[in-house]
Amino acid sequence: MGQFATFYVGEQMCGIEVEKVQEVVRSMPTTPVPQAHQVVSGLINLRGQIATAIDTGQLFWSSEDSSESKSELKMNVICRSQGALVSLLVDRIGDVLDIDDQNCESVPDTVDQEIRRFLSGVFKTRDNLVSIVDIDIILEHINHSIKG
Amino acid sequence: MARNSDDQAQISEFCEEASEILQVLNTDLSRLEREGFKKELIDSIYRGFHTLKGGAQLIGLQSMSSLTHTLESCLEPIRTQSGMLNSIQIELLHAAIGDLESLVESLRLGVVDQIDFTLRICQLAEAFVEPSAPAFLDRGDSWKIAEELHDHNAKSSLDSHRKEVLSMVHDVKSGVIKKPAPSDPSSLHSINSSADEVGLRKESLGEPSENASIRVNVGILDKLMNLVGELVLVRNQVLQYNQRHEDLELIQLTQRMDLVTSELQDQVMRTRMQPIGNVLSKFQRLVRDLAKDLGKSIDLKLVGSETELDRTLLESIKDPLTHVVRNSCDHGVEMPEERLAKGKPGSGSIQISSFHEGGQVVIEITDDGKGLDPEKIKKKAIEKGIISETKGEELTAKEAINLIFRPGFSTAATVTDVSGRGVGMDVVKTNIEKIGGTVLVESEPHRGMTLQIKIPLTLAIVPALIIRSGGQNFAIPQVKLSELVRVEEGERGEKIECIQGAMIYRLRGKLLPLVDLRQTLGLSLKEAGQAQPSEVNIVVLQADGLHFGLIVDEVRDTADIVVKPLNRILKSLNLFSGATIMGDGSVSLILDVAGIAKRANIFGLENNSGQQDLLRKEDEAKSRLLESQDYLTFSLSKSGKMAIPLCLVNRLEEFSTDQVQNSGEQQVVPYRGSTLPLLNLNKELGFEPVNSSNLPVVVIQKLGRLFGVVVNEILDITSLSAEVDMGVRDRDLILGTLLDEDEIITVVDILAFVDKVARRMGLVPDAGEGVESSQKGGRPLKILYAEDSPFFRKQVKKILLGAGYQVEDVENGKLAYDKLRTGESYDLLLTDIEMPEMTGFELAKSLNEISSSIPKIALTTRFSQSDLDSGNRLGFDGYLEKLDGDKLLAEIAGIAKRMARAS
C-alpha cells in the first residue's frame, strides 16, 4: 500500500498516505472562522498560503475536551486535498511506516460509525494498531453536514 | 520610417511571438534532420510558417509574408504526400529560418523594415521542384509554386533583382532550371551581408535589445508574489525586533532591507500589470478593416492606452471590448451620406479612453453615430417578448436603453456579417460583471452613445475596509461599501430606533435596517479586556441591490488586501468570500456582504427563492405602479405609529371605562345588544396598559364575530404603499413596517392577534360554516392564489388556510397560468389584478383561450366600475376587495356549493 505518515490523536495512532502530506509544522496562530463546522479550528498562514485547520480530536471525539489551550500545543500535519491546503491538528507525530496489504484490514464493525466513516482501513504493527485516515472523506463529510 | 507608438508596440509584440515560433521551427527542423521523416514534425513546421505568414501580413511585412508563403507552398506537397526532404532542401529551410531570424532581430531594433528575400524564394522554388530531388513533386506542383511566386513577387515591391527573378520564375515555369542556387556565391553573399549588417548595427548600439522580454508562467508570478508577501512579513518582524535593540549596524542594514523589500514588492506587483494599449492597439486594424467592409469611414482614437491593469483582467475584457467596438462600427456610425445629410462630418469617430478612477479602471467607448433609439428598442423588446406591452409604455427612455443588456436582445435589425450574431450586449455585461465590473450606457439620439465599463485594477488585490468585531479582524471589499456612520453615545437612543426588537437607522430619511455583525456571526459579546464601546459604528453596505447597515465594534483602516480562496468546506457557509493575510501575518476573513445580509434575514420574506428572484422582483416593483392600500393608524404606549389595513376595520368606537364589565377574565362591553370582547393590544405586545377613562376601540370583524381592540389613540386613515417591508419584524403579531415620508409605521397582524387572543379565551368561532364548505367530496378545496405582494399573499393565505382550504400561492399571473395549463388541478383560482409578467385580466383572458373552466375570483384594491365590468366580461365569478376575509370566505363557500350542486 505504500508509505504512511503516522500521528497520534490522543493515544490513538493514525496514519495518512505520505504523498498527501506536504509538511509538518509546529502549532501556529489560528484565526477562528465563525459559524464554521465545529471540527474546523480555523485558518493558518502557511508562508503566504492559507490552510484550513481541522481538529482531529474534535473529529473523533466530537465535543470531548479539546480546549483552546491544548490546541496551542498541537502539531499541524499539512496535507493537500483537491488542490487546497488542509492542516490536521494532531497531538504528536509518529514515524513514517511502510504498509503492505497483508497487514491491512478493514475497520472493525465495533468502531463507532461516527469515526469509522473517516477511516479507510486499519493497519497492524507489532505493538500498535494504526487507523488510516482519508482526508478527502473528512472534507466531504464536513461539506455535506454544512449543506444538510 | 515614421511609426507611431501603437504600431511600434504591435511590432514588438509580433517580434516576441515570431522569435518563439522560429525557435520551435529550429528545433523541429533539426529533429527532422536527425530522426528522419515524421509527419507531425512536418506539420508543426508548416504550421509555424503559416502563423508567421499571418502575423507578417497583419503588420504589413511584405517580404516576410512572401517568404513564409513560399515556404508553406514548398512544404504543402511533402505534408500531403509524405516524402523525406533532401539535404539541400533542409539546408535551405535552415537558411530561410535564419533569414527570418535576422529580419525579426532587425525589426526589433528598428533598423530595417524589409529585407529582400527574392533570391531565397527562388532558391527554394528551385530546390523544391528540382527533378533530381526525390520524386514527391510532380510538374503540377512546381507549376503551382512558381505561379504563386510570380503572383507574390508581382505584388511585393520590386527592386534590383526583379528582372533576374522574373526570368528565373519564367524558367521555372517552363521547366528549365538553369543554375542551382545554393552554389551561387553572389546571391548567398548578399543575404549574408545583410545579416552581417544587422549584427554590426546591433553591436554598434552597444546593448542587448532593450525591449527584451520573456514569457513567464503566471503561476510562477503568483508564487513570486506570495513569497514577496512573506518577505515583507519577515521584514516587519525584523523591524520590530530592531526597536528593542540598539545595534546601529543592524538598524542600518534593516533600513536598507526595508527599502529593497518595498521596491521588490512594487516591481513584482508590476509584473502582473500591462498597459491596456496592448489590447486596444489591435482595434485600430479591426476598425479600419470593418470600416472598409461596411463602406464607412471611421476614425478610432485611443486615449490613455498606457493605463495599466492586471494581465488576467486584460485578457477577459478583450472579447467584450471587441464586441462593443464592432457594434459601434456596424450599428452606431452611419453611412457617410447619411452623416453628411445630418450635418455631421462624413467620417465617423470612435474614441476609447481609459483612465484610473477610485481604484478602478474606467474604459469609455464613445461614438458619434446615431445613438440608441429608445422607441425602437422598446418595440423590439416587446416583439421579442422580453417585456410586456403595458410595461413598455411605462418605461422611461433610460430604462428602455438598458433593455439592450437583457438576454435575447440583439441590437441588429438585420443580422450582418460584422455583428448581430446572436451574441448580444447581455454577454458583454455578464462577462464584465464576472470580473467584478459594471457597464453603463448613455445615449443621445443622433449624437452618439457612450458605453462606460468600470473594472477593478486587479482581481488579486482589492481595496478593503478592515473592521473589528468580537476581537477578530474582518475585511469588507470597498466596492460593497457606501458609507460609514458613527453614532455617538449620547445620540444612540434617538438615532437608532427599535421596531419590535429590530434595529433601524434613519439614513437621510430612508429606513436602513441594521445588522449586528457580532450577533450574526455568533461572536463573543465582549472583547477581552476592552470596555463595551460607547458609540456605534455602522458600515453602510450596498451589494446586489441590498442596502443595510452593519454594526461593527471598531472601524480600523483601509488596506489593499490579497484575496485568497477559501476551502470549499468554508465557502459553503456563504458568510465569507475569501481570506487574506494581514500585515502582521495573521489571517483575516473577507465578509461576503450578500451572504451576511441573507443570514441576518434582511429579506425575511417567506419566499426565499434566491437572490435573483428577489432582485428581479424589486426591479419589477419599481417599474410598475405601486399598489396602494388604506390603513388605519393608531398609537400604543410605545412611541411610533401602528397601522392595520382599513378594510379589516368594522367600526371605530369609544367606550368609557365604567362600561367595561368582566365576564370571567375577559373584559367585555355591551354593544349592539350583545357583548363585545375587548382585546388589549398593549398587553399582548408587552407594552404598559394605559389608564384612561376613555377607551378608543377598533372593532374588527372576524368570521362573523366582532372583537374590540383597545388602543391608546386612533390617529388617522392614510393611503400608503401596500408593499409592507417584511424585512424587519421579530414577532408573530407584527407584519412588517411601512415608511410614510419620514415616519416608520408598524403594521400589526391584527387577524393573527384576534385569532390568538380569541382562541386563548375560548372565544374561537365555532368551526361550522367555514370548514364545512371547504370540503369538496370529502377533500379540502384546492385553491390557487396569484398575488405579487408578499403582504397580501401571506394574509389571504392565512385566512384561507384558517378556513380549512388547501392553498398554493404563486407570485404572478404567468406562473399561475403555467400551473393551470400544465394540467395541475385546482378547484378555484384567486387572483390579484395588478401583477408583473401577467396581470389578472391577462390571466383570465389566457385561461379563456385554453377554455379552462376553473372558477375565478379577483381580489384587488382597484375598484372602479370599468374594472368590475371588464372583470365580469372576462368571466370572473367574484370581484372582491383584498383582505376582506369574511366576504372572501362567503364567496368561496358559495362557489363551492354551486360546484357541489353541479357535480
Side-chain angles (χ1 to χ4, degrees):
Chain A
M1 281 194 60
Q3 292 194 310
F4 280 70
T6 61
F7 52 84
Y8 292 86
V9 179
E11 286 311 309
Q12 179 64 57
M13 197 176 185
C14 298
I16 183 164
E17 289 162 78
V18 90
E19 298 88 60
K20 291 219 167 137
V21 179
Q22 176 178 313
E23 62 191 294
V24 175
V25 290
R26 288 192 182 282
S27 114
M28 299 186 91
T30 309
T31 301
V33 181
Q35 306 287 321
H37 194 280
Q38 57 170 356
V39 305
V40 177
S41 75
L43 301 174
I44 58 173
N45 170 13
L46 188 79
R47 291 187 308 280
Q49 283 187 296
I50 290 175
T52 312
I54 288 174
D55 191 337
T56 45
Q58 285 278 349
L59 198 63
F60 291 149
W61 302 295
S62 320
S63 55
E64 237 173 87
D65 80 317
S66 177
S67 56
E68 276 177 42
S69 61
K70 210 178 154 194
S71 80
E72 305 263 298
L73 301 170
K74 291 193 170 179
M75 302 286 287
N76 291 286
V77 179
I78 312 282
C79 311
R80 241 172 215 292
S81 166
Q82 290 154 7
L85 285 181
V86 178
S87 163
L88 293 180
L89 288 184
V90 305
D91 293 311
R92 214 147 39 90
I93 300 294
D95 295 326
V96 173
L97 299 176
D98 274 309
I99 291 181
D100 52 55
D101 292 327
Q102 288 173 0
N103 288 323
C104 205
E105 285 188 33
S106 59
V107 187
D109 291 342
T110 45
V111 172
D112 188 347
Q113 175 59 29
E114 286 293 308
I115 296 172
R116 190 146 59 110
R117 61 180 162 200
F118 302 134
L119 308 179
S120 55
V122 171
F123 173 71
K124 301 164 280 184
T125 65
R126 203 176 313 152
D127 42 26
N128 221 332
L129 286 175
V130 183
S131 313
I132 297 170
V133 174
D134 188 324
I135 183 106
D136 294 333
I137 292 179
I138 293 174
L139 292 179
E140 202 49 59
H141 166 71
I142 298 171
N143 204 24
H144 203 73
S145 63
I146 288 171
K147 280 186 187 146
Chain B
M1 190 181 219
R3 284 184 181 280
N4 62 31
S5 61
D6 286 337
D7 278 351
Q8 199 54 57
Q10 207 176 17
I11 287 175
S12 60
E13 204 190 326
F14 168 71
C15 289
E16 200 181 306
E17 199 189 3
S19 314
E20 254 181 54
I21 296 171
L22 287 168
Q23 215 176 336
V24 175
L25 281 171
N26 266 326
T27 9
D28 282 346
L29 194 57
S30 314
R31 269 186 65 195
L32 192 72
E33 204 173 5
R34 250 193 345 263
E35 299 169 23
F37 179 81
K38 273 209 179 99
K39 180 97 169 59
E40 63 269 31
L41 284 176
I42 293 277
D43 281 347
S44 162
I45 293 170
Y46 180 84
R47 268 199 309 275
F49 286 136
H50 184 80
T51 315
L52 281 178
K53 185 178 85 172
Q57 278 171 348
L58 193 75
I59 62 166
L61 274 178
Q62 195 55 254
S63 57
M64 187 162 182
S65 136
S66 343
L67 179 56
T68 42
H69 182 80
T70 314
L71 288 162
E72 222 183 299
S73 314
C74 292
L75 289 177
E76 180 81 50
I78 298 172
R79 220 163 72 99
T80 46
Q81 290 170 21
S82 309
M84 185 49 195
L85 297 161
N86 63 27
S87 58
I88 301 171
Q89 287 167 331
I90 288 185
E91 218 38 68
L92 265 173
L93 287 178
H94 270 307
I97 291 172
D99 292 345
L100 292 169
E101 270 169 348
S102 18
L103 176 59
V104 168
E105 188 59 26
S106 53
L107 266 177
R108 202 204 299 277
L109 292 170
V111 286
V112 186
D113 276 310
Q114 307 273 8
I115 293 179
D116 186 34
F117 292 127
T118 327
L119 261 173
R120 185 73 77 211
I121 290 170
C122 296
Q123 290 171 338
L124 282 165
E126 275 177 33
F128 280 85
V129 294
E130 191 160 325
S132 65
F136 57 75
L137 283 180
D138 59 27
R139 274 297 154 202
D141 283 313
S142 75
W143 277 85
K144 211 170 101 204
I145 291 171
E147 232 152 34
E148 272 174 11
L149 276 175
H150 187 257
D151 287 344
H152 243 76
N153 289 327
K155 266 188 244 159
S156 60
S157 62
L158 298 174
D159 54 16
S160 61
H161 291 291
R162 184 180 167 185
K163 272 188 188 157
E164 197 187 336
V165 172
L166 278 180
S167 75
M168 270 167 87
V169 166
H170 182 75
D171 290 346
V172 171
K173 237 179 170 175
S174 53
V176 189
I177 290 128
K178 276 185 199 156
K179 44 180 180 177
S183 61
D184 181 354
S186 72
S187 61
L188 264 186
H189 178 74
S190 77
I191 287 172
N192 286 343
S193 70
S194 80
D196 281 351
E197 196 181 62
V198 170
L200 240 128
R201 293 266 190 109
K202 190 170 146 190
E203 257 167 82
S204 69
L205 284 172
E207 48 183 309
S209 46
E210 51 188 320
N211 286 337
S213 58
I214 51 163
R215 293 192 177 200
V216 182
N217 190 319
V218 180
I220 296 178
L221 290 183
D222 287 346
K223 220 167 193 172
L224 207 58
M225 200 142 92
N226 257 335
L227 289 172
V228 168
E230 249 341 81
L231 185 65
V232 170
L233 299 182
V234 175
R235 174 200 64 186
N236 293 349
Q237 282 164 7
V238 174
L239 285 176
Q240 266 171 20
Y241 173 82
N242 231 350
Q243 283 168 356
R244 300 196 299 268
H245 297 77
E246 290 185 12
D247 186 334
L248 262 182
E249 206 179 335
L250 181 67
I251 290 176
Q252 267 184 359
L253 280 173
T254 42
Q255 270 170 356
R256 279 199 56 195
M257 186 173 85
D258 188 15
L259 281 175
V260 175
T261 317
S262 305
E263 174 92 343
L264 182 64
Q265 190 183 18
D266 213 41
Q267 294 297 321
V268 170
M269 293 279 226
R270 280 191 52 192
T271 57
R272 290 179 66 99
M273 307 298 268
Q274 281 190 334
I276 195 165
N278 284 6
V279 164
L280 296 186
S281 58
K282 294 206 171 90
F283 290 159
Q284 287 284 12
R285 202 187 163 75
L286 177 85
V287 171
R288 201 161 53 227
D289 291 353
L290 279 178
K292 217 175 103 198
D293 289 351
L294 295 164
K296 295 176 183 176
S297 159
I298 305 171
D299 202 28
L300 177 68
K301 230 167 101 191
L302 300 177
V303 178
S305 322
E306 69 284 346
T307 312
E308 287 193 324
L309 78 164
D310 196 280
R311 215 194 68 88
T312 41
L313 284 176
L314 208 58
E315 278 301 309
S316 41
I317 60 164
K318 202 159 140 190
D319 288 344
L321 277 182
T322 313
H323 187 83
V324 172
V325 172
R326 275 168 177 274
N327 258 345
S328 282
C329 292
D330 196 10
H331 313 308
V333 177
E334 314 91 326
M335 298 303 281
E337 312 85 67
E338 200 179 326
R339 291 183 62 89
L340 288 170
K342 279 183 192 169
K344 292 198 231 179
S347 122
S349 91
I350 297 175
Q351 178 171 325
I352 307 180
S353 31
S354 21
F355 50 92
H356 286 283
E357 190 188 85
Q360 288 187 308
V361 176
V362 182
I363 306 169
E364 282 178 354
I365 301 114
T366 312
D367 69 51
D368 65 347
K370 54 176 171 262
L372 296 168
D373 183 350
E375 286 310 313
K376 235 177 178 171
I377 290 171
K378 264 189 219 171
K379 225 179 98 196
K380 188 104 199 169
I382 293 167
E383 228 170 77
K384 299 220 166 188
I386 294 168
I387 51 165
S388 68
E389 218 158 304
T390 43
K391 208 177 148 187
E393 284 161 23
E394 290 162 8
L395 288 182
T396 64
K398 205 174 166 142
E399 284 167 327
I401 285 171
N402 276 304
L403 285 172
I404 60 167
F405 294 121
R406 295 286 277 270
F409 188 95
S410 176
T411 44
T414 52
V415 174
T416 65
D417 185 37
V418 179
S419 48
R421 280 176 225 166
V423 208
M425 293 300 287
D426 61 313
V427 180
V428 170
K429 195 176 160 125
T430 10
N431 281 343
I432 295 292
E433 280 175 354
K434 221 184 268 167
I435 53 170
T438 52
V439 186
L440 279 176
V441 64
E442 262 170 50
S443 162
E444 234 181 293
H446 308 300
R447 297 289 294 276
M449 63 175 279
T450 299
L451 201 80
Q452 192 189 56
I453 297 174
K454 274 191 186 178
I455 43 174
L457 258 176
T458 159
L459 282 182
I461 302 166
V462 292
L465 180 77
I466 311 297
I467 56 106
R468 210 170 161 77
S469 244
Q472 222 175 314
N473 285 338
F474 295 96
I476 303 171
Q478 293 271 20
V479 261
K480 315 268 183 193
L481 191 71
S482 68
E483 61 191 293
L484 295 173
V485 177
R486 187 182 161 104
V487 180
E488 299 297 337
E489 190 179 18
E491 306 172 314
R492 196 178 174 160
E494 52 187 281
K495 289 256 174 105
I496 296 181
E497 292 164 273
C498 264
I499 309 180
Q500 316 304 334
M503 283 187 291
I504 294 287
Y505 180 79
R506 284 192 210 182
L507 187 67
R508 291 181 291 277
K510 274 198 158 184
L511 268 190
L512 184 76
L514 295 181
V515 174
D516 191 333
L517 183 62
R518 252 188 335 215
Q519 223 174 340
T520 312
L521 296 182
L523 296 167
S524 58
L525 256 142
K526 256 186 197 174
E527 192 164 348
Q530 201 198 320
Q532 182 80 9
S534 48
E535 78 281 343
V536 180
N537 287 302
I538 302 170
V539 181
V540 183
L541 299 170
Q542 189 141 36
D544 307 335
L546 317 175
H547 196 63
F548 69 102
L550 193 66
I551 299 180
V552 303
D553 289 358
E554 205 183 319
V555 173
R556 286 237 146 154
D557 204 356
T558 55
D560 285 339
I561 57 168
V562 179
V563 181
K564 316 248 173 190
L566 285 179
N567 193 302
R568 64 198 169 96
I569 60 170
L570 299 176
K571 220 182 268 166
S572 46
L573 289 173
N574 287 328
L575 284 173
F576 311 105
S577 59
T580 186
I581 295 173
M582 307 299 288
D584 61 355
S586 66
V587 179
S588 285
L589 290 155
I590 303 167
L591 297 180
D592 174 353
V593 172
I596 296 221
K598 219 170 181 182
R599 181 68 67 107
N601 270 334
I602 282 296
F603 296 107
L605 306 178
E606 73 250 83
N607 181 357
N608 257 338
S609 50
Q611 233 166 303
Q612 211 58 38
D613 277 7
L614 288 170
L615 284 176
R616 183 173 49 76
K617 250 168 58 189
E618 216 171 56
D619 282 347
E620 278 163 358
K622 272 183 207 145
S623 60
R624 85 195 135 85
L625 291 168
L626 286 172
E627 295 187 86
S628 67
Q629 167 79 33
D630 288 334
Y631 292 91
L632 174 79
T633 56
F634 55 90
S635 69
L636 292 174
S637 296
K638 206 150 181 196
S639 65
K641 272 190 192 173
M642 310 299 245
I644 52 177
L646 188 63
C647 53
L648 298 176
V649 178
N650 191 274
R651 280 183 77 85
L652 300 178
E653 298 286 356
E654 197 166 76
F655 300 105
S656 72
T657 31
D658 31 358
Q659 283 176 275
V660 179
Q661 298 168 17
N662 277 343
S663 151
E665 275 185 32
Q666 178 59 46
Q667 292 193 318
V668 293
V669 286
Y671 187 61
R672 292 187 192 169
S674 174
T675 54
L676 178 72
L678 292 184
L679 315 173
N680 199 317
L681 199 50
N682 270 329
K683 212 170 99 194
E684 289 306 317
L685 289 171
F687 303 152
E688 273 174 30
V690 79
N691 286 319
S692 138
S693 55
N694 285 331
L695 293 177
V697 169
V698 182
V699 181
I700 305 284
Q701 187 173 28
K702 187 165 165 44
L703 294 170
R705 285 195 77 132
L706 294 176
F707 297 87
V709 177
V710 183
V711 300
N712 285 17
E713 194 188 351
I714 289 165
L715 297 172
D716 201 1
I717 290 169
T718 26
S719 186
L720 292 169
S721 154
E723 296 280 5
V724 176
D725 180 2
M726 296 164 97
V728 270
R729 76 195 144 111
D730 62 336
R731 50 185 96 181
D732 286 349
L733 298 180
I734 302 301
L735 267 175
T737 52
L738 285 167
L739 194 65
D740 180 20
E741 281 161 19
D742 245 355
E743 207 164 17
I744 303 160
I745 298 177
T746 309
V747 183
V748 180
D749 191 349
I750 201 74
L751 290 177
F753 169 68
V754 169
D755 223 0
K756 183 180 161 197
V757 178
R759 205 178 296 274
R760 196 172 62 215
M761 293 169 177
L763 288 171
V764 180
D766 46 336
E769 208 192 347
V771 178
E772 205 181 322
S773 56
S774 70
Q775 307 280 328
K776 182 199 173 195
R779 70 174 173 85
L781 221 52
K782 211 169 153 199
I783 299 173
L784 181 65
Y785 178 35
E787 164 69 66
D788 58 318
S789 147
F791 169 82
F792 287 116
R793 210 161 52 232
K794 198 176 162 191
Q795 280 304 104
V796 174
K797 193 173 175 184
K798 205 185 266 170
I799 294 172
L800 295 173
L801 288 174
Y805 295 107
Q806 224 184 32
V807 187
E808 184 156 346
D809 50 353
V810 290
E811 285 162 38
N812 59 50
K814 183 84 176 53
L815 292 173
Y817 177 69
D818 286 344
K819 277 201 178 296
L820 289 168
R821 199 189 40 179
T822 50
E824 280 190 55
S825 77
Y826 296 91
D827 301 306
L828 177 68
L829 170 72
L830 276 184
T831 178
D832 183 17
I833 297 302
E834 287 296 331
M835 284 184 293
E837 298 279 356
M838 190 186 252
T839 68
F841 287 147
E842 287 168 16
L843 172 62
K845 216 154 109 194
S846 308
L847 287 176
N848 288 343
E849 269 160 28
I850 58 167
S851 53
S852 157
S853 60
I854 187 166
K856 301 179 276 287
I857 297 179
L859 288 180
T860 185
T861 48
R862 193 157 93 171
F863 231 103
S864 69
Q865 194 54 45
S866 68
D867 282 336
L868 265 176
D869 288 344
S870 49
N872 285 335
R873 242 194 341 272
L874 288 164
F876 276 107
D877 300 275
Y879 209 91
L880 300 173
E881 200 169 8
K882 276 181 189 173
L883 288 191
D884 191 346
D886 288 353
K887 252 193 210 157
L888 175 63
L889 290 179
E891 188 83 30
I892 295 175
I895 289 176
K897 253 181 217 148
R898 256 178 284 152
M899 277 162 63
R901 233 175 281 140
S903 65

